[in-house]
Amino acid sequence: MSDRYQRGMTVRREVLGDTHVDRAEFLKTEFDEPFQDLITNAAWGTVWASDGISRRERSMLTLALLAATGNFEEIPMHIRATSRTGASKQDVQEAFQHVAIYAGVPKANHALKLARQTYAEMEAEEKPYETS
């Protein structure tokens, strides 16, 4: 494995968490292994590994781009990652407001809905034994 791949796997684990990456690795097949290698090298080993901007800023950009392009499936994963990148709920709200203005209100509205649901799930996971 290349140094970039190793760095990519390290950064991927730091941002997404071991549980997510372990699950992705366990579910990896011969069919999707080339794709997994590509994202580990390019997305995680190059883009996310760069120190040109902070991980907080990178989270905000990623969430805004996912929403603006209508790639909603990955928004919950990247909302969960904000707990490790330092992007706050307010940061996410600001990013989605930019989406509303520059890419469309419906996209931002759907992204906010997904973020709200994911934050609620994260809060419930933090307090599994509390009842109302």
Side-chain angles (χ1 to χ4, degrees):
M1 290 185 201
S2 70
D3 288 344
R4 184 181 318 181
Y5 182 90
Q6 290 296 339
R7 178 70 180 135
M9 190 58 76
T10 298
V11 171
R12 190 176 177 195
R13 287 183 178 283
E14 290 170 357
V15 172
L16 299 179
D18 288 330
T19 302
H20 176 87
V21 176
D22 288 345
R23 182 175 48 251
E25 287 295 297
F26 178 76
L27 295 173
K28 183 169 60 177
T29 66
E30 184 178 324
F31 178 74
D32 67 347
E33 185 172 5
F35 176 77
Q36 292 294 322
D37 289 347
L38 172 70
I39 63 171
T40 300
N41 279 298
W44 300 107
T46 302
V47 174
W48 277 87
S50 169
D51 59 1
I53 61 174
S54 70
R55 288 189 181 169
R56 173 184 162 264
E57 293 164 320
R58 214 170 286 285
S59 274
M60 294 166 65
L61 284 169
T62 300
L63 285 162
L65 287 165
L66 289 170
T69 57
N71 291 298
F72 298 111
E73 291 88 10
E74 292 202 358
I75 286 178
M77 174 181 72
H78 281 280
I79 290 292
R80 289 181 175 280
T82 62
S83 67
R84 288 178 285 285
T85 65
S88 68
K89 286 182 180 181
Q90 183 177 351
D91 292 334
V92 172
Q93 291 168 337
E94 293 289 337
F96 290 156
Q97 286 193 36
H98 269 64
V99 170
I101 298 303
Y102 293 101
V105 170
K107 288 180 179 177
N109 188 44
H110 189 62
L112 282 164
K113 175 185 170 189
L114 293 171
R116 199 172 44 247
Q117 290 171 344
T118 306
Y119 283 129
E121 290 169 6
M122 291 168 66
E123 289 169 10
E125 290 163 5
E126 289 176 5
K127 304 172 190 172
Y129 301 107
E130 288 187 15
T131 58
S132 16

